[in-house]
Amino acid sequence: MSADAKKVAGELRALLPEPHGPALPDDRHRLLKEHLMNEIHQARVQAGKAPQDARPRRRRAWYVVPVGMAAAGALAFTFLAGPGRSGGDDGFHLSAAPVVKVEVGSANGVGALMENVAERASQAPANRVGPNQFVYVRSHYSNMQAVDGSPFKLKTYYRESWTSQNPDKVQSRLKQPGDDIIWSAPRSEDHAQDNRNHTYAALQKLPTEPGALLKKLRADAAYSGSSDQNLFDYVGGLISESILPPETGAALYRAAARIPGVVALDKAQDGDGRPGVALARTDERTHERRELVFDANSYDYLGMRAYLVQNTELGKKGTVTEMQAVLDRDVVNSRDETPKK
């Protein structure tokens, strides 16, 4: 890497969240990584060392709110616990990112895989989720973290989220090492930016014909760009952070099978190393493959994994950039409640 590229990389590392700061939502984290790659690339262009496949720079897109909070109107945060800086156990682990084998995917297997997943989703019990309740999700999560003066590390920790079902006002909560955050904002149907805050009632109103649903999802996902990768990431956010009504879930998986560029993988792992099969797509801009991992027998959603499919400035081929394992998902009555075992 040239001196100019190293300087740009250092400056951008300083803008990334500290290890004990709030996690960026998946799509914002991806955009930030894209921006980092493009800034490094631009520095190489200016130094006369650009590769032949030079691409135009993307518009800056910095988001520093925890979870996609772009709802209209005033937004209020309450920090129940500040960053833990006492030098004790912060509840996260920093390690070198693992390097995994890049499996060969098949577009031919997508339809059969997602039909099996859709059938499983259609058999799920319908949940009665009240307007004063919350969808609780506990995950084991890892994401690429910049450490000042050091190579990128993989930050691994447990996090809990409580998604508000109030039809008028988002009143959700994110709890992770060093931070316990409650945010509040008016809910607007005109703003579909937050794929983690769809209520169960709103999901029930989505089209259940796969083609119509895909068109609706593409329009909703367009806030972060109109690419097929943004659409795939948006679908992944719905799957990981919501409880889906049976008909909506079945239609969502059948719609996902129609996204251009998706492939099926016979071998995949979630963030806890649980084996499964996956629906995956590679971002042509960042060369990062994102996998939605399902149990190979039950077709239940297990989690997500993302990694590089070729050498880039962020790491060599196979370097893991993000992982998730969903450990618990249920409906609770308050932001202080966890599911009963």
Side-chain angles (χ1 to χ4, degrees):
M1 186 187 302
S2 69
D4 287 341
K6 289 180 179 179
K7 180 181 178 181
V8 171
E11 291 172 352
L12 290 171
R13 281 174 177 162
L15 294 173
L16 286 162
E18 296 181 13
H20 34 263
L24 289 170
D26 299 342
D27 55 349
R28 271 58 164 180
H29 185 75
R30 176 181 54 76
L31 286 171
L32 190 145
K33 286 192 293 185
E34 286 182 20
H35 185 81
L36 172 60
M37 290 299 298
N38 280 294
E39 289 294 332
I40 292 173
H41 172 79
Q42 184 66 17
R44 297 182 70 179
V45 170
Q46 294 173 352
K49 299 179 180 180
Q52 292 182 354
D53 62 337
R55 294 178 175 85
R57 293 175 61 186
R58 287 170 56 86
R59 173 177 55 86
R60 286 182 180 268
W62 297 105
Y63 299 88
V64 293
V65 293
V67 186
M69 286 286 91
L75 175 63
F77 290 94
T78 301
F79 291 81
L80 302 184
R85 303 172 187 266
S86 62
D89 182 7
D90 288 318
F92 62 84
H93 176 63
L94 287 174
S95 62
V99 179
V100 300
K101 179 182 178 181
V102 178
E103 301 286 347
V104 177
S106 170
N108 294 331
V110 168
L113 170 61
M114 298 317 290
E115 186 60 34
N116 287 333
V117 175
E119 283 295 320
R120 170 67 176 121
S122 69
Q123 297 167 10
N127 286 273
R128 292 184 177 274
V129 187
N132 296 317
Q133 293 184 302
F134 299 82
V135 170
Y136 171 87
V137 177
R138 180 173 181 264
S139 299
H140 197 199
Y141 188 75
S142 302
N143 65 305
M144 188 171 278
Q145 177 70 53
V147 180
D148 188 31
S150 302
F152 285 104
K153 299 286 187 180
L154 203 65
K155 175 185 174 185
T156 301
Y157 54 95
Y158 292 92
R159 73 178 185 187
E160 298 170 286
S161 65
W162 288 260
T163 300
S164 169
Q165 300 297 296
N166 188 311
D168 301 315
K169 190 175 186 180
V170 176
Q171 294 176 310
S172 298
R173 178 183 182 186
L174 174 67
K175 185 178 181 181
Q176 60 189 25
D179 292 287
D180 193 346
I181 306 162
I182 289 175
W183 62 88
S184 179
R187 193 186 296 278
S188 172
E189 293 184 359
D190 294 331
H191 291 76
Q193 287 94 329
D194 190 2
N195 59 3
R196 301 167 188 242
N197 272 285
H198 284 288
T199 65
Y200 189 88
L203 291 169
Q204 283 182 310
K205 296 177 181 179
L206 290 175
T208 54
E209 193 281 314
L213 178 57
L214 188 65
K215 183 177 180 180
K216 166 65 174 169
L217 295 175
R218 188 177 289 280
D220 288 351
Y223 77 93
S224 61
S226 58
S227 74
D228 294 321
Q229 187 64 39
N230 289 329
L231 175 59
F232 183 79
D233 293 344
Y234 186 81
V235 169
L238 285 175
I239 294 170
S240 66
E241 296 289 339
S242 307
I243 289 180
L244 299 171
E247 289 189 359
T248 304
L252 180 66
Y253 293 120
R254 292 183 175 114
R258 303 185 183 190
I259 298 174
V262 297
V263 297
L265 298 171
D266 293 331
K267 294 181 180 179
Q269 289 185 352
D270 73 354
D272 263 8
R274 296 178 295 189
V277 293
L279 181 72
R281 192 180 191 285
T282 297
D283 190 329
E284 301 89 348
R285 300 160 296 183
T286 63
H287 309 294
E288 180 186 59
R289 174 189 279 177
R290 185 171 294 264
E291 302 173 343
L292 305 178
V293 184
F294 304 89
D295 185 275
N297 297 312
S298 68
Y299 296 106
D300 289 329
Y301 178 75
L302 297 178
M304 173 275 298
R305 183 174 66 172
Y307 52 87
L308 302 175
V309 297
Q310 70 179 53
N311 296 340
T312 77
E313 298 284 1
L314 290 180
K316 66 181 181 178
K317 179 179 178 179
T319 299
V320 173
T321 57
E322 194 173 359
M323 294 189 292
Q324 177 208 33
V326 175
L327 305 178
D328 203 356
R329 190 195 306 259
D330 211 335
V331 179
V332 295
N333 294 317
S334 78
R335 291 180 299 209
D336 300 316
E337 184 180 350
T338 56
K340 296 179 174 61
K341 301 299 182 183

